[in-house]
Amino acid sequence: MSFNLRTGTADDGPHSWPHRCGAVTHVLRALAPDLLGVQECLDFQVNYLRRELPGHDFVGVGRNDGDRVSEFAAILYRRDHLDLVDVRHM
């Protein structure tokens, strides 16, 4: 599954991250993807997803520093269904 989260710091008024994060969690739990690619995800959003989807592990880095700063194109995967074999970031 691919999911564009929209950056969590966008000034979206009633559609800002604090107002929609629960809906995101609801959709992800209902669809229960084994593999989830997220776009425009910031570090605090990654942390939120990791808390809300405890059966998932995470792979990804921020695009600006190769660590935790800026947007991620992250992958979360169900560790009971998939095994991580290799990780490379370009």
Side-chain angles (χ1 to χ4, degrees), residues 27-62:
V27 167
L28 294 176
R29 286 184 180 154
L31 296 176
D34 288 342
L35 189 64
L36 170 65
V38 294
Q39 301 165 6
E40 294 190 41
C41 191
L42 296 174
D43 188 53
F44 70 90
Q45 291 171 295
V46 168
N47 292 335
Y48 173 84
L49 292 176
R50 292 177 79 184
R51 282 191 311 273
E52 295 298 315
L53 303 171
H56 290 71
D57 279 338
F58 160 83
V59 175
V61 295

Side-chain angles (χ1 to χ4, degrees), residues 1 3-6 17 19-31 36 38 45 48-49 52-53:
M1 177 181 180
F3 201 119
N4 187 325
L5 292 180
R6 174 103 167 115
W17 178 250
H19 298 289
R20 64 185 152 84
C21 62
V24 168
T25 302
H26 177 77
V27 167
L28 294 176
R29 286 184 180 154
L31 296 176
L36 170 65
V38 294
Q45 291 171 295
Y48 173 84
L49 292 176
E52 295 298 315
L53 303 171

Side-chain angles (χ1 to χ4, degrees), residues 44-88:
F44 70 90
Q45 291 171 295
V46 168
N47 292 335
Y48 173 84
L49 292 176
R50 292 177 79 184
R51 282 191 311 273
E52 295 298 315
L53 303 171
H56 290 71
D57 279 338
F58 160 83
V59 175
V61 295
R63 72 172 173 210
N64 288 354
D65 70 344
D67 190 28
R68 307 298 289 186
V69 175
S70 70
E71 293 178 10
F72 289 65
I75 297 172
L76 290 95
Y77 62 95
R78 286 187 47 178
R79 63 180 164 267
D80 61 340
H81 290 191
L82 301 168
D83 293 319
L84 181 64
V85 174
D86 191 15
V87 177
R88 296 176 198 190

